[in-house]
Amino acid sequence: MALLRKINRGLLILLILVAFALLYKKTRLQTLAKYSVLKKDGAKTGVEDEKTMDTGIPVVICASEERIGAAMATINSVYSNSHASIFFYIVTLRDAIKKIREYIEKTKLRKIKYKILEFNPMVLKGKVNLDSSRPELLHPLNFVRFYLPLLAIENHERIVYLDDDVIVQGDIQELYNIKLKAGHAAAFASDCDLPPTHEMVRSVGMQTTYMGFLDYRKEEVRELGINPSDCSFNPGVFVADLGEWKKQKITKQLEKWMAENVRKNLYSSAMAGGVATPPMLIVFHDKYTTIDPLWHVRHLGWSPDTRYPRSFLKDARLLHWNGHFKPWNYPCVHLDLWEKWFIPDPTGKFTLVRP
């Protein structure tokens, strides 16, 4: 009997340990925040066999309700210009899920492979100052890039992240296959590598150094030891190694600087990159691989009057209308290069602003 009791006690302890292990596995993705990054009932797949999500090049893009047409233009340009198999992870908020699916299924985009993921904005609670100088930069989806390994895309070793004001003219496979240096979790386009054609827009306030993004009057910023004249980068287009990202706890580092900013106002949306760019600049300073400049020709939305040579834009692999002047609005430059990939909203709700 004594032996039996010992065996039963051992089995009970084993069951408890197994239960704790299962509980840990279930909650480990939530250790970085009080709230889960994704809402479980928000995922919608656009493929018959979900196993196909493991194949192809994973591209993450956010699609807000008010800019659905922009995201669809980006997706169309990626899909149309690549010979590779592409899988799109479209991240949005609950109010746009049905509209995105309708936009895709009622247009030629019905052929793409995709999954819609619902981002939970509560994950940002207490991490973002409600600075209203540029409210569009405070949209919850601007912070999705911080949480890439938590987006239920862990089956991929690396991903390509694209903003919704981007048009891809090259084969995305070329960008995806970039060789990341050892220990680097991501690849960005450095503002040190801006082509000579960008000199024309420097005069209208384009920021290319850390001075334009961080408040160097704050002691905490100066203690980082980052030279204010160091070249910045734009996090609207990048390739991420998810394994290295998790290994270095990048998301936790980004959240740390978000929290620091709430307490000490180290940067604000009044500065060049809003509140989403500075944490990336801090965490990835001198720790990223550089992308070929032609794979991120940016600042097309910086001025409604400054144009780039057509020959240069023709050679560009990716165009980015970052800035105030978006190609679905007016005024904006090089509208024809964006409209080439725009697909009209089948519901008529997303419309272009034209003179």
Side-chain angles (χ1 to χ4, degrees):
M1 289 296 292
L3 179 62
L4 184 60
R5 283 197 297 269
K6 287 183 179 180
I7 293 174
N8 288 338
R9 187 180 304 162
L11 289 173
L12 179 60
I13 292 173
L14 181 61
L15 287 172
I16 292 172
L17 290 174
V18 170
F20 272 113
L22 291 173
L23 181 63
Y24 170 77
K25 184 177 181 180
K26 181 179 179 180
T27 61
R28 68 185 179 89
L29 293 181
Q30 301 179 36
T31 58
L32 297 177
K34 181 179 178 181
Y35 301 93
S36 177
V37 171
L38 292 179
K39 291 193 174 181
K40 294 181 180 179
D41 60 345
K44 305 291 182 181
T45 182
V47 293
E48 293 181 3
D49 181 3
E50 293 202 19
K51 290 182 180 179
T52 62
M53 288 187 290
D54 295 336
T55 65
I57 296 172
V59 175
V60 175
I61 181 169
C62 297
S64 63
E65 181 179 15
E66 60 273 17
R67 289 166 56 149
I68 289 179
M72 296 302 115
T74 302
I75 290 171
N76 186 30
S77 70
V78 173
Y79 178 73
S80 300
N81 287 310
S82 181
H83 297 294
S85 174
I86 313 291
F87 195 94
F88 294 96
Y89 290 93
I90 306 171
V91 189
T92 191
L93 303 181
R94 173 162 297 185
D95 56 4
I97 292 176
K98 183 178 178 180
K99 297 181 179 74
I100 291 172
R101 177 170 287 278
E102 189 173 14
Y103 210 129
I104 292 173
E105 298 300 333
K106 291 186 176 181
T107 65
K108 68 177 186 178
L109 291 178
R110 67 176 67 91
K111 297 180 181 179
I112 70 171
K113 294 183 293 183
Y114 70 97
K115 186 175 185 180
I116 301 174
L117 302 174
E118 182 187 353
F119 184 68
N120 183 5
M122 290 303 294
V123 75
L124 302 174
K125 186 176 181 180
K127 300 184 182 73
V128 179
N129 275 328
L130 298 179
D131 185 331
S132 60
S133 56
R134 286 193 66 186
E136 74 276 13
L137 297 179
L138 294 175
H139 196 288
L141 295 180
N142 270 342
F143 301 92
V144 165
R145 70 197 83 193
F146 290 10
Y147 297 95
L148 295 178
L150 309 184
L151 292 178
I153 56 176
E154 64 272 9
N155 292 330
H156 302 285
E157 294 181 1
R158 61 166 59 185
I159 61 95
V160 176
Y161 175 90
L162 300 175
D163 274 352
D164 66 355
D165 50 359
V166 157
I167 289 297
V168 175
Q169 299 186 139
D171 191 328
I172 199 72
Q173 188 170 21
E174 181 183 334
L175 178 63
Y176 176 77
N177 287 335
I178 185 174
K179 185 176 181 180
L180 271 67
K181 293 181 180 179
H184 286 181
F188 302 93
S190 169
D191 288 334
C192 284
D193 296 332
L194 288 174
T197 51
H198 280 72
E199 291 294 336
M200 65 182 72
V201 293
R202 293 182 192 273
S203 60
V204 295
M206 185 181 72
Q207 300 296 332
T208 59
T209 67
Y210 275 69
M211 176 65 79
F213 296 88
L214 303 178
D215 188 350
Y216 276 84
R217 295 171 299 179
K218 301 296 175 63
E219 183 180 356
E220 291 81 4
V221 172
R222 296 194 300 271
E223 287 178 348
L224 288 169
I226 299 175
N227 191 322
S229 63
D230 281 359
C231 290
S232 52
F233 60 82
N234 184 293
V237 174
F238 63 93
V239 179
D241 181 317
L242 297 183
E244 196 66 36
W245 190 292
K246 287 185 283 188
K247 179 181 176 182
Q248 298 183 29
K249 300 180 180 179
I250 297 296
T251 298
K252 189 172 182 179
Q253 292 186 56
L254 292 168
E255 288 195 319
K256 169 195 170 184
W257 287 106
M258 292 170 73
E260 285 289 302
N261 185 57
V262 169
R263 290 194 296 268
K264 302 173 182 177
N265 197 30
L266 306 179
Y267 50 86
S268 74
S269 63
M271 303 186 80
V275 294
T277 297
M280 300 280 280
L281 293 177
I282 293 172
V283 172
F284 286 101
H285 179 252
D286 280 345
K287 296 177 182 177
Y288 67 92
T289 300
T290 55
I291 289 174
D292 181 340
L294 288 178
W295 266 105
H296 195 174
V297 175
R298 50 206 182 276
H299 305 301
L300 274 71
W302 208 258
S303 167
D305 305 311
T306 305
R307 293 182 174 272
Y308 297 87
R310 299 294 294 189
S311 58
F312 170 70
L313 294 178
K314 183 179 179 181
D315 292 335
R317 303 290 186 270
L318 183 149
L319 305 175
H320 190 181
W321 279 263
N322 60 307
H324 291 281
F325 304 96
K326 303 301 184 185
W328 51 90
N329 290 327
Y330 189 85
C332 185
V333 296
H334 306 299
L335 294 175
D336 58 315
L337 296 177
W338 184 86
E339 285 189 9
K340 179 181 179 180
W341 305 106
F342 173 66
I343 299 174
D345 184 351
T347 69
K349 294 177 181 177
F350 183 92
T351 57
L352 304 182
V353 177
R354 295 294 182 259

